[in-house]
Amino acid sequence: MRNLDEQTITQAVIARNADTPDARLHEVLTCLVQHLHTFAREVQLTEAEWEKGIEFLTAVGQICSPTRQEFILLSDTLGLSTLVTAQNHKKPAGCTEATVFGPFHVASAPTFELGENISAELEGTPWFVKGTVKGIDGEAIPGAEIEVWQADDAGFYDVQKDGMDHYEGRGVLRADSAGHYHFQTIVPEAYPIPHDGPVGKMLQALNRHPWRPAHLHFMISAPGYERLVTHVFREGGEYLDSDAVFGVRSSLIADWVQHEPGITPYGFESNEPFYTLDFDFVLNKNTH
Ligand code: BEZ
Ligand code: FE
């Protein structure tokens, strides 16, 4: 195939990919080429802009490391993560909504017994979190696996800290035989997503801030149910309507109740104010 031009190049590429053995890969690549070419035609992409785009994506790749996932940040800040989450987790009314996964989950978080403190001695305001994991028909889900992760009260995750040698503010628990869970931690604060790299520069160029409202991450799994990846946000917190990664859903905003110094839910005396959160999760039946 020779002498390809503005009109004929798209079909030529699609035709060249015709023998892709994997049918889904073929479908995705055909559509990607079509949209990519349509994009370049629509904006009349200049060579300087194309180069800038290549430089940007190169920088996104170069800053990635086992603890820094700039491509996820890019997907999140462009709303792609929320779109993919929304179209893959349509659920019956009453189920807890899913939201973005984010880049700070780790696969090997420590396990805890119910009632333990997952904060690993982080300084901060004590927080007592509890609730029930249920199915859509109201049935308790005994033994559901509940993974939580959170920022500290300065807005940093453990994996962002230089020289980190132990996990902080993350853990895996199991609901009891009635589906109840409870644990202690500290109250996490709102934080900016990492913005010292190319995604941060992009946000700046777009006159956008990098902040996320305060939240606690949950990933809940149980046999026979769809895995739920979600957050619980703080009612009244800043940035609920301008989350840098478009992850807020009204149904996930809850009252983080402040208490004066006194007896905590675990029966011991706290001489500083503390918070409680009571949040139930409703899982969808496994649909695949
Ligand atoms: C998070 O909530 O951990 C997160 C989500 C998206 C981008 C950065 C952080
Ligand atoms: Fe987070």
Side-chain angles (χ1 to χ4, degrees):
M1 224 172 272
R2 296 185 184 177
N3 306 321
L4 294 163
D5 62 20
E6 259 183 84
Q7 269 66 49
T8 54
I9 179 65
T10 306
Q11 278 318 309
V13 178
I14 289 171
R16 185 72 60 84
N17 292 344
D19 293 335
T20 308
D22 182 323
R24 176 65 178 160
L25 180 64
H26 181 243
E27 182 185 1
V28 171
L29 260 292
T30 300
C31 199
L32 178 66
V33 168
Q34 264 161 351
H35 283 272
L36 207 52
H37 288 209
T38 301
F39 156 74
R41 283 192 191 95
E42 240 175 65
V43 299
Q44 285 292 302
L45 196 67
T46 67
E47 285 175 310
E49 288 163 347
W50 175 85
E51 255 172 52
K52 198 148 187 172
I54 298 286
E55 269 167 29
F56 174 74
L57 290 175
T58 303
V60 169
Q62 282 172 339
I63 202 173
C64 285
S65 73
T67 56
R68 175 74 182 252
Q69 230 312 345
E70 197 79 358
F71 279 108
I72 293 185
L73 295 182
L74 181 59
S75 165
D76 292 343
T77 50
L78 293 180
L80 180 63
S81 307
T82 286
L83 170 59
V84 172
T85 299
Q87 66 187 3
N88 282 282
H89 297 281
K90 297 187 185 109
K91 303 178 197 204
C95 287
T96 305
E97 293 187 278
T99 189
V100 293
F101 197 75
F104 295 128
H105 174 262
V106 303
S108 50
T111 56
F112 290 94
E113 297 298 320
L114 291 175
E116 281 191 295
N117 190 330
I118 66 144
S119 74
E121 323 269 301
L122 278 171
E123 303 245 317
T125 306
W127 197 24
F128 301 88
V129 181
K130 74 176 171 77
T132 305
V133 184
K134 302 176 201 167
I136 186 69
D137 298 323
E139 74 282 14
I141 306 182
E145 186 184 278
I146 299 155
E147 181 158 2
V148 291
W149 65 105
Q150 66 168 101
D152 64 18
D153 75 344
F156 291 103
Y157 285 82
D158 50 4
V159 291
Q160 294 178 281
K161 297 177 189 173
D162 283 342
M164 178 197 94
D165 58 1
H166 65 286
Y167 291 128
E168 294 170 342
R170 66 178 71 241
V172 182
L173 303 114
R174 260 185 202 286
D176 68 14
S177 57
H180 297 316
Y181 73 90
H182 55 100
F183 59 93
Q184 184 181 340
T185 183
I186 60 153
V187 175
E189 287 300 331
Y191 61 84
I193 63 167
H195 57 289
D196 55 344
V199 169
K201 279 202 192 115
M202 177 188 81
L203 292 180
Q204 211 170 17
L206 297 170
N207 198 22
R208 282 172 53 181
H209 73 69
W211 286 83
R212 297 216 65 207
H215 59 272
L216 176 61
H217 291 258
F218 283 87
M219 177 159 73
I220 305 186
S221 323
Y225 294 88
E226 184 183 325
R227 188 180 77 168
L228 172 66
V229 174
T230 196
H231 314 346
V232 178
F233 295 93
R234 179 179 189 160
E235 178 71 83
E238 239 185 309
Y239 311 114
L240 285 169
D241 289 308
S242 65
D243 181 7
V245 304
F246 307 99
V248 179
R249 313 204 64 79
S250 301
S251 67
L252 302 177
I253 301 174
D255 208 4
W256 299 14
V257 182
Q258 189 181 9
H259 302 262
E260 292 309 312
I263 304 296
T264 70
Y266 289 140
F268 63 82
E269 176 97 24
S270 173
N271 49 21
E272 55 181 333
F274 61 91
Y275 279 75
T276 55
L277 169 68
D278 196 344
F279 199 88
D280 294 346
F281 295 95
V282 179
L283 304 194
N284 195 12
K285 294 231 157 50
N286 216 341
T287 46
H288 341 277

